[in-house]
């Protein structure tokens, strides 16, 4: 068995070749078909609109049947591929810190009644910019962020969320596995700056901080503007001096109401920074604030008293937005209990870099065609997702090797500022210089198929969209075409 070579520092062309070899070794079933499908994805002219169209690319030397057979029956050793991705060079901040962004992006399948494991996905911008719940396959992504304005990220992991999954529990397990892989790959050592995990408002950042408290990570997440936090409880000496008649000391201090400035008090840190896109950014930080947890929802079965999870609350106010919208204040919670003014600036600047993951989602959806295939099996969708990840990683490794094949109406940019789409334009010329481990296809003839005029006697099962009931049980009822029944929702 060939040893992995991406851990050895080499030049860019050798590093890309080694990654492709390690990727091929991770394919344990229909390896040649899956590998050539990835090459066709990288070398196709223009955005990927249909999956079968990739079979016409010169890099895909097999027929369209092998293309679908590779996705439906191919096998990928995901654990090994995850280890390979954790070993490639990753972007870091100026002090050598890793910043990871976590977010969920849906693969919408509203009409795929024969596809299993669909959930209701939250979407925005459809139907007069309304919030809609559309059936599909939600996927949790983790990417490493770069410093400065960039459309590049480093995708490290993707997990398809199943109906009824607890988002916080799945995210905690996903982050834990990734951090352990990064430590095993030598990406983090004792004494290095802690890894930052950046999340948006849809996550319970306090609960995640509690679940991941034993890892070398710090969590930074956005909060809604209607939250209420608590200050630390006074010590026994302070309480008895204020209440000489005695009584039970409280577990929580006074309230910190986001919408009521009278409850804020003087901030523990305050800075003003002049930016080119937002004007003056005014940041204020309050130390050791925590939520008052209740014995319900995710904390219902917590043994003993509920924990007190302290962190730093940051309020960021800017002069204007690049889009011209109303600059509303941004509230952040950082799992570090206390922070200086310089640390507060680093925190909100790292959070603004989180929006680079939106460029990644746009790239894989609109250009690489992540959501273009109409696959039925969720396992085939997982295979396609990891092919997308490996294709994007190859573009990132070829970032310094590509030539700018710009259109006549496009502006020239420096070689170190090429976008992923521009790097993809020249990948076909670069691929000719890289060895291809896939074997030559053997001559074959298509099968006879179903006899002409015969009917399908094995109709596909139909599935309801998964719903999580109060009891915590997932109900679904398969129906068949031959019964003439329609899918019914349970609950």
């Amino acid at each position: 068995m060939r040893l992995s070579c991406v851990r050895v520092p080499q030049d860019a062309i050798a590093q890309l070749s080694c990654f492709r070899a390690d990727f091929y070794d991770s394919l344990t079933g229909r390896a040649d078909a899956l590998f050539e499908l990835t090459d066709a994805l990288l070398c196709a002219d223009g955005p990927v609109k249909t999956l079968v169209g990739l079979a016409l690319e010169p890099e895909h030397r097999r027929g369209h049947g092998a293309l679908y057979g590779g996705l439906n029956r191919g096998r990928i050793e995901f654990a090994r591929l995850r280890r390979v991705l954790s070993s490639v060079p990753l972007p870091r901040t100026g002090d050598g810190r890793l910043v990871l962004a976590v977010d969920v992006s849906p693969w919408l399948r509203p009409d795929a009644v024969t596809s299993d494991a669909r959930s209701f996905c939250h979407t925005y911008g459809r139907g007069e910019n309304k919030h809609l719940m559309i059936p599909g396959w939600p996927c949790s992504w983790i990417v490493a962020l770069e410093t400065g304005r960039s459309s590049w990220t480093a995708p490290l992991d993707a997990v398809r969320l199943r109906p009824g999954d607890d988002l916080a529990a799945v995210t905690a397990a996903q982050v834990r596995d990734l951090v352990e892989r990064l430590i095993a790959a030598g990406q983090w050592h004792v004494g290095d700056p802690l890894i930052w995990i950046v999340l948006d408002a849809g996550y319970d950042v306090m609960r995640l901080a509690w679940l991941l408290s034993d890892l070398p990570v710090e969590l930074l997440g956005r909060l809604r503007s209607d939250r209420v936090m608590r200050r630390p409880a006074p010590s026994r000496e302070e309480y008895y001096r204020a209440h000489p008649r005695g009584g039970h000391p409280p577990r929580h201090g006074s309230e910190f109401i986001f919408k009521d400035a009278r409850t804020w008090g003087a901030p523990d840190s305050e800075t003003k920074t002049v930016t080119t896109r937002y004007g003056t950014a005014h940041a204020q930080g309050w130390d050791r604030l925590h939520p008052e947890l209740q014995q319900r929802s995710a904390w219902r079965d917590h043994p003993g008293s509920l924990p007190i999870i302290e962190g730093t609350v940051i309020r960021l106010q800017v002069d204007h937005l690049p889009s011209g919208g109303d600059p509303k204040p941004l509230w952040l919670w950082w799992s570090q209990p206390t922070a200086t003014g310089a640390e507060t600036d680093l925190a909100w600047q790292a959070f603004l870099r989180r929006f680079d993951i939106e460029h990644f989602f746009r790239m894989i959806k609109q250009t690489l065609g992540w959501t273009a295939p109409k696959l039925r099996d969720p396992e085939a969708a997982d295979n396609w997702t990891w092919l997308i990840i490996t294709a994007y990683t190859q573009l990132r490794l070829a970032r310094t090797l590509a030539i700018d094949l710009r259109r006549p109406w496009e502006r020239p940019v420096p070689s170190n500022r090429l976008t992923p789409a521009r790097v993809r334009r020249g990948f076909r010329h670069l691929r000719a210089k890289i060895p291809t481990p896939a074997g030559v296809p053997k001559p074959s003839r298509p099968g006879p198929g179903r006899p002409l005029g015969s009917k399908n006697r094995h109709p596909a099962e139909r599935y309801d969209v998964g719903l999580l009931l109060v009891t915590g049980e997932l109900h679904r009822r398969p129906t068949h075409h031959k019964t003439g029944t329609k899918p019914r929702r349970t609950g």
Side-chain angles (χ1 to χ4, degrees):
M1 179 180 296
R2 180 170 57 252
L3 297 178
S4 176
C5 54
V6 296
R7 297 177 178 84
V8 182
Q10 300 169 1
D11 59 349
I13 192 72
Q15 194 171 66
L16 177 58
S17 301
C18 289
F19 177 81
R20 287 166 60 87
D22 288 330
F23 166 52
Y24 184 80
D25 290 341
S26 302
L27 306 176
T28 58
R30 307 291 180 99
D32 295 338
L34 292 175
F35 190 88
E36 289 192 354
L37 175 58
T38 307
D39 276 357
L41 174 65
L42 286 168
C43 301
D45 295 330
V48 176
K49 299 298 184 181
T50 60
L51 181 61
V52 70
L54 296 176
L56 303 178
E57 299 297 331
E59 291 75 17
H60 193 275
R61 298 174 293 182
R62 291 160 172 82
H64 62 276
L67 184 147
Y68 285 104
L71 286 178
N72 294 323
R73 298 180 180 85
R75 294 187 302 275
I76 303 177
E77 194 175 345
F78 299 126
R80 180 172 182 173
L81 190 53
R82 284 186 170 101
R83 291 193 298 268
V84 173
L85 289 171
S86 301
S87 302
V88 299
L90 299 178
R92 299 174 184 268
T93 60
D95 57 352
R97 186 191 305 273
L98 285 172
V99 181
L100 308 179
V102 184
D103 203 355
V104 174
S105 183
W107 181 344
L108 300 181
R109 301 301 309 278
D111 300 325
V113 295
T114 59
S115 296
D116 194 9
R118 292 184 302 157
S119 305
F120 284 106
C121 306
H122 178 268
T123 60
Y124 178 76
R126 294 170 176 266
E128 299 179 356
N129 292 333
K130 296 181 179 179
H131 294 271
L132 301 177
M133 303 298 291
I134 301 178
W137 290 319
C139 188
S140 176
W141 296 82
I142 301 181
V143 302
L145 301 177
E146 295 194 356
T147 58
R149 295 177 59 186
S150 174
S151 58
W152 288 94
T153 60
L156 296 175
D157 195 25
V159 173
R160 177 171 50 84
L161 300 176
R162 291 166 173 78
D165 278 349
D166 184 352
L167 179 59
V170 173
T171 303
Q174 185 182 13
V175 171
R176 179 177 298 277
D177 293 342
L178 175 58
V179 171
E180 292 175 352
R181 291 196 301 271
L182 293 175
I183 296 175
Q187 300 280 10
W188 187 90
H189 302 88
V190 177
D192 292 347
L194 298 180
I195 302 173
W196 280 358
I197 311 296
V198 186
L199 311 109
D200 207 359
Y203 290 87
D204 189 350
V205 61
M206 290 85 167
R207 184 185 173 201
L208 287 174
W210 170 258
L211 295 174
L212 302 174
S213 58
D214 58 327
L215 295 180
V217 299
E218 289 181 347
L219 279 80
L220 177 66
R222 182 169 64 168
L223 300 179
R224 300 190 310 270
S225 59
D226 58 350
R227 294 293 298 268
V228 178
M229 306 293 284
R230 289 282 190 170
R231 290 185 170 86
S235 63
R236 288 181 175 271
E237 293 77 8
E238 296 174 345
Y239 178 77
Y240 287 127
R241 282 198 300 266
H243 302 81
R245 295 185 177 181
H248 191 279
R251 294 191 72 234
H252 310 282
S254 58
E255 289 185 337
F256 184 95
I257 305 175
F258 287 8
K259 290 187 175 182
D260 190 356
R262 297 172 298 179
T263 63
W264 297 352
D268 297 293
S269 61
E270 187 171 7
T271 62
K272 291 185 177 181
T273 307
V274 179
T275 64
T276 58
R277 292 172 57 83
Y278 304 99
T280 301
H282 183 199
Q284 298 172 292
W286 290 268
D287 298 342
R288 299 188 61 191
L289 296 183
H290 65 274
E292 184 178 356
L293 303 178
Q294 304 292 333
Q295 199 84 27
R296 62 189 181 191
S297 186
W299 301 97
R300 180 180 304 167
D301 300 328
H302 183 80
S305 59
L306 296 176
I308 295 179
I309 310 172
E310 292 185 340
T312 301
V313 170
I314 301 174
R315 181 182 184 269
L316 179 65
Q317 181 67 59
V318 298
D319 290 340
H320 55 81
L321 298 176
S323 61
D326 183 21
K328 297 180 180 180
L330 178 68
W331 291 93
L332 304 175
W333 186 88
W334 188 12
S335 61
Q336 181 172 313
T338 60
T340 62
E343 293 173 336
T344 301
D345 283 341
L346 291 177
W348 67 259
Q349 290 172 11
F351 179 81
L352 294 185
R353 292 269 60 81
R354 191 208 71 85
F355 294 98
D356 291 344
I357 197 174
E358 302 298 336
H359 298 290
F360 169 73
F361 290 150
R362 188 180 299 111
M363 173 66 185
I364 64 174
K365 288 184 177 181
Q366 298 182 2
T367 303
L368 298 182
W370 175 47
T371 58
K374 306 301 181 182
L375 302 175
R376 175 182 297 174
D377 297 330
E379 290 76 15
D382 294 339
N383 291 340
W384 176 246
T385 298
W386 280 97
L387 295 187
I388 294 290
I389 294 176
T390 55
Y392 188 93
T393 304
Q394 292 183 57
L395 292 178
R396 193 171 65 87
L397 295 177
R399 184 176 175 180
T400 59
L401 303 172
I403 301 175
D404 186 15
L405 302 178
R406 67 183 183 91
R407 303 291 188 258
W409 54 85
E410 293 176 342
R411 295 180 180 179
V413 296
S415 58
N416 59 348
R417 297 288 297 175
L418 292 179
T419 62
R422 288 201 181 188
V423 173
R424 179 172 174 260
R425 290 178 189 172
F427 194 87
R428 173 171 289 169
H429 305 282
L430 182 62
R431 178 182 176 273
K433 306 175 183 179
I434 306 174
T436 300
V440 178
K442 299 178 181 179
S444 62
R445 63 178 61 183
R450 195 169 63 199
L452 184 63
S454 62
K455 296 183 179 180
N456 182 15
R457 300 182 182 277
H458 302 281
E461 291 185 353
R462 295 193 176 192
Y463 300 93
D464 297 336
V465 181
L467 296 178
L468 182 64
L469 304 184
V470 179
T471 57
E473 298 178 358
L474 179 64
H475 287 239
R476 64 184 182 188
R477 181 178 296 121
T479 59
H480 299 273
H481 288 281
K482 62 183 180 181
T483 59
T485 58
K486 296 182 179 180
R488 293 181 294 174
R489 297 179 180 178
T490 58

